[in-house]
């Protein structure tokens, strides 16, 4: 029987790593990507005996992405599930004082990086007339919030691109899923606040946030639906969160 292959971008931490681990438990061979080679190497030990292909690249590097994913070894070419997860927020400033490098990073990683990876993988799915694409959006792609401007814009783009993908890939029977989490405690805020761990920690104080495993379990459920079922658009929040801006905290 052909092995089932999942490719997860941004699998060195957080949601991507938890997803790699849970899909491995579900019998998938795992292609995991990220920039931190040491983290991808460490993931091998946690994955155990499953077939594993770690790939180190920055999703912003268009030629590298297309080159690496375009020359996968034959036994890894037929990706069944693509999880476009790599992404982050950079900074949290009002639009009038926002940092251009932060804006470039968010649009280049969250939007263009997702597109480059998709460009490398989706044509093969079309040829085989099978596959599933899971894009990790955000509540920030459903509602703008103060000082979220460009990050929200990048995730609104993910939402729109996902909808467009679902339309274009409809004749090929490819299932396209968007998962839009609210607050998940990962390295996300540490990256957003540029290593300020005190500020990052305050984001998740006073309520119980989601954890990466919560999202991974949803992905596990999604990939295990029968072939005629697609969970197209999923918003998942911590119980304490009612919207992008309303979080019931007991501080
Ligand atoms: P983490 O910071 O823990 O993980 C981000 C992952 O993305 C890392 O594996 C990182 O790998 C990878 N990544 C970042 N930049 C690049 C790049 N330029 N090239 C390749 N890989 C990159 O955050 P999360 O797990 O929380 O985030 C995962 C996704 O979930 C993101 O798209 C995020 O926007 C989204 N999300 C997160 C929420 C949250 O509250 N945490 C809520 C809603 C959505 P490396 O650094 O090794 O390259
Ligand atoms: C991450 C969730 O609310 O910090 O996408 O934007 S939020």
């Amino acid at each position: 029987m052909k092995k089932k292959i999942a490719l997860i971008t941004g699998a060195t931490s957080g949601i991507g790593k938890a997803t790699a681990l849970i899909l491995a438990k579900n019998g998938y061979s795992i292609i995991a990507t990220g920039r931190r080679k040491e983290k991808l190497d460490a993931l091998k030990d946690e994955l155990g005996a499953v077939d594993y292909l770690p790939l180190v690249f920055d999703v912003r590097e268009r030629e590298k992405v297309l080159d690496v994913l375009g020359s996968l070894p034959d036994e890894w070419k037929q990706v069944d599930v693509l999880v476009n997860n790599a992404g982050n927020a950079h900074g949290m400033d009002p639009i009038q004082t926002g940092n251009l490098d932060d804006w470039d990073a968010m649009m280049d990683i969250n939007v263009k990086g997702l597109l480059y990876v998709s460009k490398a993988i989706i044509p093969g799915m079309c040829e085989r007339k099978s596959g599933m694409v899971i894009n990790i959006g955000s509540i920030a792609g459903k509602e703008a919030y103060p000082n979220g401007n460009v990050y929200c814009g990048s995730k609104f783009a993910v939402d729109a691109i996902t909808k467009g993908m679902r339309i274009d890939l409809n004749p090929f029977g490819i299932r396209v899923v968007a998962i839009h989490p609210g607050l998940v405690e990962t390295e996300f805020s540490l990256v957003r606040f540029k290593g300020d761990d005190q500020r990052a920690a305050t984001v998740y104080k006073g309520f119980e946030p989601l954890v990466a495993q919560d999202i991974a379990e949803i992905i596990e459920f999604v990939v295990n639906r029968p072939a005629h079922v697609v969970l197209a658009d999923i918003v998942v929040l911590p119980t304490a969160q009612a919207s992008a801006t309303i979080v019931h905290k007991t501080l």
Side-chain angles (χ1 to χ4, degrees):
M1 207 174 83
K2 179 198 162 297
K3 66 180 180 183
K4 298 185 294 180
I5 298 173
L7 189 165
I8 302 123
T9 66
T12 56
S13 70
I15 294 169
K17 179 180 173 185
T19 301
L21 291 169
I22 213 160
L23 292 184
K25 285 203 180 97
N26 281 264
Y28 282 85
S29 299
I30 301 297
I31 305 175
T33 87
R35 291 165 300 176
R36 288 172 291 177
K37 180 180 182 306
E38 70 285 0
K39 299 266 184 192
L40 290 176
D41 291 344
L43 181 58
K44 180 174 176 46
D45 297 331
E46 290 188 62
L47 284 168
V50 301
D51 284 347
Y52 177 50
L53 181 66
L55 298 174
V56 181
F57 58 79
D58 186 323
V59 294
R60 285 173 286 198
E61 292 179 21
R62 185 167 88 172
E63 296 314 320
K64 180 98 191 256
V65 173
L66 297 178
D67 183 37
V68 172
L69 296 180
S71 55
L72 290 172
D74 282 348
E75 67 273 24
W76 289 99
K77 280 193 197 308
Q78 298 193 5
V79 173
D80 298 287
V81 175
L82 166 62
V83 184
N84 274 316
N85 165 75
N88 263 133
H90 295 262
M92 198 174 176
D93 301 297
I95 197 75
Q96 66 275 19
T97 57
N99 177 298
L100 284 172
D101 290 336
D102 287 342
W103 294 0
D104 281 346
M106 290 185 279
M107 299 311 278
D108 289 349
I109 299 168
N110 302 354
V111 183
K112 291 163 72 181
L114 177 149
L115 288 171
Y116 299 156
V117 172
S118 299
K119 176 71 180 165
I121 298 299
I122 288 175
M125 291 181 170
C126 291
E127 274 170 29
R128 297 189 297 279
K129 292 197 165 42
S130 79
M132 180 183 284
V133 180
I134 301 174
N135 293 332
I136 305 300
S138 171
I139 187 69
K142 297 289 188 182
E143 301 168 47
Y145 56 79
N147 305 325
N149 43 65
V150 177
Y151 178 66
C152 295
S154 75
K155 290 299 184 177
F156 269 73
V158 171
D159 192 30
I161 289 165
T162 307
K163 288 173 177 152
M165 278 185 182
R166 191 174 306 114
I167 294 164
D168 296 345
L169 299 178
N170 173 264
F172 301 95
I174 296 169
R175 292 184 282 178
V176 180
V177 177
I179 301 179
H180 302 281
L183 291 154
V184 190
E185 189 164 12
T186 60
E187 293 181 10
F188 177 86
S189 289
L190 200 59
V191 174
R192 173 171 244 177
F193 299 125
K194 304 175 196 302
D196 182 341
D197 50 5
Q198 305 257 15
R199 190 171 175 200
T202 60
V203 174
Y204 309 106
K205 281 231 172 83
F207 74 106
E208 186 172 351
L210 297 171
V211 292
Q213 181 69 10
D214 294 320
I215 310 305
E217 287 173 8
I218 291 166
I219 291 174
E220 178 182 43
F221 183 76
V222 165
V223 301
N224 283 317
R225 289 314 84 217
H228 68 287
V229 179
V230 57
L231 282 101
D233 199 49
I234 301 167
V235 176
V236 50
L237 304 173
T239 301
Q241 184 172 14
S243 73
T245 50
I246 298 172
V247 183
H248 183 66
K249 293 195 174 194
T250 50
L251 289 171

